[in-house]
Amino acid sequence: MQSGYSYTRIEKPGENFHPDFKPHLTPQEMLELGIFGGCYFSEKLAEFPKSWFKKAKFSTDGKKHKELNYYNVNASQPLSVWKAKGWIHKDDPHGWFQWYCRYYLGRRHEDDERQIKRWKAITRHASQIIHNCRPGDQHCRPRQRQAILHWAYDPRKL
């Protein structure tokens, strides 16, 4: 995924998050539910715990498949869009989820504040689901539900 990059983990995995950062799901839970069309990690990487990948939904042909997403819809923009908008930090060239995986494992980084701010901004989509859907109606706004799932929010609880 990224050659020549290393980092130090200064926190225990899953602990001591910034007080404003309270993700509902772990990276492992996200991978098991189905995110990014099964194409986020095309291989099991030594950087991340093997346990994360035991039940993860992966594309076998390297292409995104909406059927591998929890809500069976496409709800993500191509990486090229993220790059064009300046949302990608050079240390996490695959975007927010890569940053989150590393943060979860204990890396703390100069980009944390910006990424946490972006994560908090996604609550607007959760609010739209809450205001426009009956509680528990998982068929209402599936693209928004899938999108917030990509950001470690649990749409099944809305």
Side-chain angles (χ1 to χ4, degrees):
M1 181 191 278
Q2 185 177 6
S3 62
Y5 178 76
S6 65
Y7 57 91
T8 302
R9 299 176 184 180
I10 62 170
E11 299 290 352
K12 291 181 180 177
E15 295 184 13
N16 298 317
F17 286 9
H18 185 284
D20 292 339
F21 186 51
K22 297 176 177 138
H24 302 165
L25 300 164
T26 67
Q28 179 178 342
E29 291 169 327
M30 295 169 68
L31 289 165
E32 289 176 1
L33 287 170
I35 55 173
F36 303 108
C39 205
Y40 196 85
F41 296 129
S42 60
E43 57 189 59
K44 298 177 186 177
L45 303 169
E47 175 181 352
F48 303 115
K50 290 179 183 179
S51 60
W52 287 11
F53 302 101
K54 286 182 181 174
K55 296 181 183 176
K57 296 182 179 181
F58 283 107
S59 169
T60 57
D61 62 7
K63 296 178 183 175
K64 289 184 180 182
H65 296 276
K66 66 181 183 178
E67 304 80 30
L68 295 174
N69 283 336
Y70 186 79
Y71 289 96
N72 296 303
V73 295
N74 285 324
S76 58
Q77 297 174 336
L79 188 58
S80 60
V81 171
W82 285 56
K83 287 178 181 178
K85 292 187 180 262
W87 293 339
I88 302 296
H89 189 282
K90 66 178 177 58
D91 291 342
D92 298 315
H94 290 276
W96 186 87
F97 186 62
Q98 184 179 31
W99 169 86
Y100 176 45
C101 290
R102 291 171 169 175
Y103 186 91
Y104 185 88
L105 289 175
R107 180 189 78 171
R108 297 301 179 261
H109 190 272
E110 67 186 45
D111 199 33
D112 292 352
E113 188 175 321
R114 181 184 72 96
Q115 294 291 17
I116 292 168
K117 184 178 178 181
R118 294 179 66 229
W119 173 82
K120 287 171 63 176
I122 297 301
T123 59
R124 72 184 183 279
H125 293 287
S127 295
Q128 290 172 356
I129 293 168
I130 291 167
H131 288 96
N132 291 289
C133 300
R134 292 185 310 275
D137 181 359
Q138 296 298 300
H139 299 288
C140 182
R141 295 186 175 234
R143 288 191 76 231
Q144 273 188 312
R145 288 177 185 276
Q146 185 68 43
I148 67 172
L149 177 59
H150 291 172
W151 287 83
Y153 285 94
D154 193 343
R156 301 168 300 170
K157 296 182 178 179
L158 301 177

